[in-house]
Amino acid sequence: MGQALGMIETIGLIGSIEAANVKICKYEKIEGGLVSIHVRGDVGAVQAAVDAAAQAARRVGQLAGVHVIPAPVEEIDEHILS
C-alpha cells in the first residue's frame, strides 16, 4: 500500500479523532470503553494526526497508547485491519 499506519487507543472517543490528511481505516470499540483507531496516509500526516490525537487525549487523561509504523509490510492489512 505504501502508506504509513498510525494507531491510537483512548478511553472513550474524546481526543482520538484529531486527524490531518489521513484516512481512518479502522475504528473499533473494545471492552471497558477502550477505543482503537487506525489511520493511513503519508508518514508526516499520520505522525501529525497521531500526535494531535495523543495530545488531546492526554489533556483529558484518556490516552491508552499510540504507535506509528512508517513503512508497514503489505501483509499487515490482513492481520491488523481485518
Side-chain angles (χ1 to χ4, degrees):
M1 184 175 242
Q3 294 187 317
L5 173 64
M7 297 162 278
I8 183 161
E9 291 185 342
T10 61
I11 306 298
L13 194 55
I14 296 175
S16 61
I17 304 177
E18 285 207 14
N21 187 21
V22 296
K23 177 184 175 191
I24 296 174
C25 31
K26 183 175 181 181
Y27 164 82
E28 183 176 1
K29 290 190 244 177
I30 305 169
E31 291 183 25
L34 191 63
V35 175
S36 178
I37 295 180
H38 298 187
V39 297
R40 281 282 197 160
D42 68 57
V43 176
V46 168
Q47 190 66 58
V50 169
D51 288 346
Q55 185 177 21
R58 280 187 193 103
R59 280 195 303 268
V60 293
Q62 296 184 328
L63 181 65
V66 295
H67 190 69
V68 173
I69 303 173
V73 296
E74 289 182 26
E75 295 82 18
I76 200 164
D77 287 346
E78 62 192 64
H79 300 288
I80 290 185
L81 301 178
S82 60

